[in-house]
Amino acid sequence: MGTEPAHTVTRYDQELDRLRGIVARMGGLVERQTAQAIAAVVDQNEEAALEPPELDVEVDTLERDAESLAIRILALRAPMAVDLRLIVAVLKITGDLERIGDYASSIARRALKVEPLDGAMSFSALRNMGRLVQENLHKAIDAMACNDSERAMEVWNADTAVDELYTAMFRELVTYMMEDPRKIGPCIHLLFVAKNLERIGDHATNIAERVYYAVTGEMLPAVRPRGGAARKGN
Amino acid sequence: MGTEPAHTVTRYDQELDRLRGIVARMGGLVERQTAQAIAAVVDQNEEAALEPPELDVEVDTLERDAESLAIRILALRAPMAVDLRLIVAVLKITGDLERIGDYASSIARRALKVEPLDGAMSFSALRNMGRLVQENLHKAIDAMACNDSERAMEVWNADTAVDELYTAMFRELVTYMMEDPRKIGPCIHLLFVAKNLERIGDHATNIAERVYYAVTGEMLPAVRPRGGAARKGN
């Protein structure tokens, strides 16, 4: 854009910043949704479980705003190299964020259908899983905001622990249900909560992969390290 | 592109066709993965269950190919209007297709862990769900290949039936497990299979939404019609 008048370049930068801002806002919203959904389950927090569905709509609207702005920038500014990769990454990442918001809503909707299980580790396992997933999600969103490929790589390597916690929970819950069939309903909702958390972890990893590519121009290997759950189909 | 030499326009058209071709190939692959995964479960077809994981890798590779080519076209051809929307749609749709492939693999991995349940409707309900989801997926991919916004609209309206079948299955399986706790393991895998099918249906709907926008320039409403499952958090 070197030959264009300075005010055009500035407006272009402003548009890129606005695009980054929309994604950062989306990231902040789905982080909040995820944190509240986990709290709703593990603390049996009714208020957090009843988070208004408007948040979902806001996340969807932001995804659309990002897409419209990206198309506008592509059409009017013909961005190149890093900027172009950033815009493509934004289009992909907003899809992951929208999905994360969806999973968080699904977790929150189940919060009041689960219940603490006497003598079972599952609530504390879920708390650990929730902490790890939130950490990874936060790091992925941070890596995106700071164009930090090393941080992205950290997220990419950290997801195995989440998968392993999920597998352990799956086994415990099946045993628990067999011993006390009256708990089948709550246990199934707990299993789905754990599965949704694992999926949120997957999407955080996707975001990390995309940030890594946008920043470095290199793609991470197609097959990433995975824990027991994905391999064994639990 | 009217002022450019004819051979450049031709190469540009060829590139767009190649991009469409990659997406069509990806669509064909995940349709096949989905069909095989459903057959693996409902027909207890061991061969279909053991589909080699190379298909997953091929789908991932195609997603990356599509992204690289899209970036190349954006950088070198500065596409406008419909072409630009097509490219953005491709970037989004390949994400949905990759996810569908992932869910199909997850279904196939569970195929040999489920079993027909005496007197339960779940296998035939699953067959119906599978048929509906496959139909919707096929229509969505078709709408994409033919730039057909009406067909996209059909898909968008059809997902409610899938959600309702899922909700009915969820209830039946919970009752079944309570009556026969020895069947808890297989029933849970069946539940997850149904959930994954429902998610494939969601992604088919997403594809339809994106095709509709790419073709018409208009977005479908942010909130789409949904059946019982999504609303009630089952």
Side-chain angles (χ1 to χ4, degrees):
Chain A
M1 313 283 289
T3 57
E4 296 200 1
H7 75 270
T8 311
V9 177
T10 306
R11 194 180 291 166
Y12 171 63
D13 286 338
Q14 278 175 351
E15 282 174 349
L16 280 183
D17 279 347
R18 229 187 98 215
L19 189 60
R20 276 198 204 88
I22 292 175
V23 184
R25 183 127 180 264
M26 243 186 118
L29 277 179
V30 304
E31 259 195 87
R32 188 176 125 201
Q33 276 185 297
T34 305
Q36 285 194 335
I38 295 169
V41 175
V42 298
D43 304 330
Q44 286 292 290
N45 179 335
E46 197 161 338
E47 205 178 318
L50 300 173
E51 177 72 24
E54 286 86 57
L55 261 187
D56 269 348
V57 176
E58 198 176 341
V59 168
D60 287 351
T61 306
L62 285 171
E63 186 185 10
R64 289 169 178 223
D65 289 351
E67 186 170 335
S68 303
L69 182 55
I71 289 179
R72 193 187 140 80
I73 297 174
L74 288 169
L76 299 184
R77 311 288 175 189
M80 299 295 287
V82 170
D83 290 350
L84 180 53
R85 286 206 307 271
L86 168 79
I87 291 168
V88 169
V90 160
L91 287 168
K92 293 287 208 172
I93 286 172
T94 51
D96 285 303
L97 289 174
E98 187 271 333
R99 225 54 214 165
I100 291 174
D102 234 45
Y103 285 123
S105 299
S106 169
I107 292 174
R109 276 194 303 267
R110 291 178 199 279
L112 303 180
K113 297 177 181 177
V114 305
E115 49 187 78
L117 306 168
D118 294 336
M121 299 292 295
S122 290
F123 257 61
S124 65
L126 201 68
R127 203 183 293 272
N128 286 338
M129 234 182 122
R131 197 178 34 75
L132 272 175
V133 168
Q134 276 179 271
E135 252 174 50
N136 276 355
L137 178 58
H138 184 76
K139 269 191 204 162
I141 290 169
D142 217 43
M144 184 181 69
C146 309
N147 292 327
D148 185 340
S149 61
E150 278 183 38
R151 184 150 271 230
M153 193 81 185
E154 265 176 55
V155 176
W156 196 73
N157 281 313
D159 201 45
T160 312
V162 173
D163 291 346
E164 280 164 5
L165 276 170
Y166 171 76
T167 306
M169 250 187 93
F170 183 92
R171 291 208 188 108
E172 189 193 37
L173 285 172
V174 170
T175 310
Y176 201 96
M177 284 187 254
M178 286 183 179
E179 284 167 8
D180 187 356
R182 290 165 307 170
K183 296 289 165 110
I184 286 174
C187 281
I188 286 178
H189 286 295
L190 212 48
L191 259 183
F192 273 113
V193 165
K195 191 69 197 171
N196 287 340
L197 266 181
E198 196 220 336
R199 296 260 178 208
I200 291 177
D202 280 350
H203 283 283
T205 309
N206 285 354
I207 292 173
E209 286 177 7
R210 300 196 202 287
V211 168
Y212 188 89
Y213 175 66
V215 175
T216 66
E218 302 286 323
M219 283 185 171
L220 286 163
V223 179
R224 68 176 176 84
R226 302 199 82 169
R231 257 199 331 270
K232 291 174 198 151
N234 280 329
Chain B
M1 315 282 293
T3 57
E4 297 199 359
H7 75 270
T8 311
V9 176
T10 307
R11 193 179 291 167
Y12 171 63
D13 285 338
Q14 279 174 351
E15 283 176 347
L16 280 184
D17 279 347
R18 229 187 95 214
L19 189 62
R20 275 197 204 92
I22 293 175
V23 184
R25 181 125 182 265
M26 244 186 117
L29 277 180
V30 306
E31 258 194 88
R32 190 178 123 200
Q33 277 185 297
T34 305
Q36 286 194 335
I38 294 168
V41 175
V42 298
D43 304 329
Q44 285 293 289
N45 180 335
E46 199 161 333
E47 207 179 316
L50 300 173
E51 176 72 26
E54 286 85 55
L55 263 187
D56 269 347
V57 176
E58 199 177 339
V59 169
D60 287 351
T61 306
L62 285 172
E63 185 184 10
R64 288 171 180 220
D65 290 350
E67 185 170 337
S68 302
L69 182 56
I71 288 179
R72 195 187 138 82
I73 298 174
L74 288 169
L76 299 183
R77 312 289 173 187
M80 299 294 289
V82 170
D83 290 349
L84 180 54
R85 285 205 309 269
L86 168 79
I87 291 168
V88 168
V90 161
L91 288 167
K92 293 287 208 173
I93 286 171
T94 52
D96 285 303
L97 290 174
E98 188 270 334
R99 226 53 214 165
I100 290 173
D102 232 46
Y103 285 122
S105 298
S106 169
I107 291 173
R109 276 195 304 269
R110 290 179 198 278
L112 303 180
K113 297 176 180 177
V114 305
E115 50 186 77
L117 307 167
D118 295 337
M121 298 293 295
S122 291
F123 257 60
S124 65
L126 202 66
R127 203 183 293 272
N128 287 338
M129 234 181 123
R131 197 177 35 75
L132 272 176
V133 168
Q134 275 179 271
E135 253 174 50
N136 275 356
L137 178 57
H138 184 77
K139 268 190 205 163
I141 291 170
D142 216 44
M144 185 181 68
C146 310
N147 292 329
D148 185 340
S149 61
E150 276 182 39
R151 184 150 270 231
M153 193 81 185
E154 265 176 53
V155 176
W156 195 73
N157 281 315
D159 201 45
T160 312
V162 174
D163 291 346
E164 280 164 4
L165 275 171
Y166 171 76
T167 305
M169 250 188 92
F170 183 92
R171 289 206 190 110
E172 189 194 36
L173 285 172
V174 170
T175 310
Y176 201 95
M177 285 186 254
M178 286 184 180
E179 284 167 6
D180 187 355
R182 291 165 309 169
K183 295 289 165 103
I184 286 174
C187 282
I188 286 177
H189 286 294
L190 212 50
L191 258 184
F192 272 113
V193 164
K195 190 68 197 173
N196 286 340
L197 266 181
E198 195 220 338
R199 296 259 179 209
I200 291 177
D202 280 350
H203 282 283
T205 309
N206 285 354
I207 292 172
E209 287 177 7
R210 301 196 201 287
V211 169
Y212 189 89
Y213 175 65
V215 175
T216 65
E218 303 286 322
M219 284 184 170
L220 287 163
V223 180
R224 70 175 175 84
R226 301 198 83 171
R231 255 195 339 267
K232 291 174 197 152
N234 281 330

